[in-house]
Amino acid sequence: MGLSFALLAVSVAVATAVGFVAFPRLGTPGRVTLFLRYAAVAGVTAVGSSAMYFIYGAGGGLLTLVLGDVAMVLAPALMLVAVSALDGRRVRRASTFALVLALIVAVVTATVPLPASLAVKAVALAAACAACAWVASHSRVEPFGPLRIIAFANAVYALYCLARVGVALAAGWESPLYLTAFSFGPATILGAVAVVAMGVAVVRLWAGPRAEVRPEVCPAGVAVVVGDWDLASAAYGPERMRDLVVDLRAAAHDLDPHAADVPRGAELTVADPVEALGARLRDAYGWAPEQTILLADGAATAAIRTRPGRTRRGRWGRGVSRS
């Protein structure tokens, strides 16, 4: 038992070091790169949890069960960190949440017998999935489709975990209903489907822009966009341009809660929007002067027309608006 806890402590220490030190710093990656790294680790932990459970079923001992439970909870928790990084949020809070959940599950699984530890793991898993679903569903990053898939998959699995605990407590862990729909086999199959769906979403995000999205009706206002797009893209690169657009939209929502996202920027109703956004981006998001001068009126640049009831068709990072 002492050796098992020692190995568990080393594993947690290594995972923490990688999560907080190596991944955010290697090559000062942009948001997309950081997202892909955390998403990749989330996929590895999801597969690793299944491997640990199979080893435990073959007589692998308590340590394999502890590692399997920790890895299973870390998979959606690390996806939460990945989506937070992609959305421009601070990842420290999400990383701390993931670490706390993993430690709780590790301690409970190692000290509390089944099936009580299974119930705790299911609740922790539901919390991680629900948090990831919430962040993904509220993300303003384009394209929206892949993030909606991530949100839906996590939301469904969160509800399934809660239903699993509810059925177990109400009908019993050995009841026909639980064994048919909520035992290890069905839970593993649904988890595998969720992992595959999120893997497809990650690939779509990595692959870049897709076909134009459905038309959207935007309210009247002044659109502020990143002007001189081609020139700025050549200077900063597509990934940095994506980050600039994310910052611009976040700053627009800071100034106007009803601001609407438009291709390459946002539409808002404040006085002197270009100057106001420039000041906000400089003070709160650390934009340099050469970046704030890229802000332009969308109508003036012919990138978008600001008329009531217009529709637009956008692509990831670029788009054209039509009345």
Side-chain angles (χ1 to χ4, degrees):
M1 179 65 70
L3 178 60
S4 298
F5 278 108
L7 290 174
L8 177 61
V10 171
S11 301
V12 171
V14 171
T16 303
V18 171
F20 281 104
V21 180
F23 275 48
R25 299 180 183 274
L26 281 178
T28 60
R31 292 171 182 170
V32 176
T33 302
L34 197 56
F35 164 78
L36 293 174
R37 289 182 179 181
Y38 277 112
V41 177
V44 171
T45 56
V47 175
S49 68
S50 298
M52 290 297 102
Y53 287 140
F54 280 117
I55 295 174
Y56 173 75
L62 178 62
L63 178 61
T64 56
L65 178 61
V66 172
L67 293 178
D69 285 354
V70 169
M72 190 172 187
V73 171
L74 276 179
L78 288 174
M79 183 59 72
L80 166 65
V81 178
V83 175
S84 298
L86 182 65
D87 199 39
R89 301 170 182 263
R90 294 183 181 274
V91 299
R92 186 171 299 276
R93 181 178 300 177
S95 301
T96 302
F97 175 72
L99 179 59
V100 169
L101 279 184
L103 289 176
I104 291 174
V105 170
V107 172
V108 171
T109 302
T111 58
V112 178
L114 292 169
S117 62
L118 175 58
V120 173
K121 182 201 69 174
V123 172
L125 189 59
C129 290
C132 182
W134 190 91
V135 173
S137 64
H138 286 76
S139 175
R140 295 188 294 270
V141 176
E142 296 179 4
F144 299 117
L147 286 170
R148 298 301 178 263
I149 293 175
I150 293 175
F152 179 77
N154 278 277
V156 169
Y157 205 75
L159 293 175
Y160 178 81
C161 290
L162 293 178
R164 189 181 190 190
V165 175
V167 169
L169 295 178
W173 297 93
E174 300 297 331
S175 64
L177 176 59
Y178 181 86
L179 295 177
T180 301
F182 299 99
S183 59
F184 176 76
T188 301
I189 293 174
L190 183 60
V193 172
V195 169
V196 171
M198 286 187 284
V200 172
V202 169
V203 171
R204 287 189 57 192
L205 282 168
W206 169 75
R210 288 295 182 232
E212 61 184 19
V213 298
R214 61 181 175 83
E216 297 181 14
V217 178
C218 300
V222 176
V224 179
V225 300
V226 177
D228 294 326
W229 185 268
D230 294 333
L231 181 62
S233 296
Y236 291 104
E239 185 171 316
R240 180 54 182 158
M241 293 299 293
R242 174 188 171 95
D243 292 346
L244 293 179
V245 173
V246 171
D247 286 348
L248 191 161
R249 289 172 175 169
H253 283 270
D254 293 342
L255 297 174
D256 180 6
H258 301 290
D261 295 345
V262 299
R264 293 183 279 170
E267 187 174 50
L268 66 167
T269 55
V270 297
D272 299 321
V274 175
E275 291 76 8
L277 269 179
R280 178 65 180 173
L281 288 167
R282 182 178 60 254
D283 297 338
Y285 295 84
W287 277 34
E290 61 270 18
Q291 294 170 333
T292 57
I293 62 175
L294 293 174
L295 299 179
D297 187 320
T301 62
I304 186 168
R305 298 176 183 175
T306 55
R307 293 183 183 177
R310 71 181 186 284
T311 60
R312 62 179 176 87
R313 296 180 181 268
R315 299 186 66 173
W316 185 357
R318 299 193 66 175
V320 177
S321 297
R322 298 180 182 178
S323 303

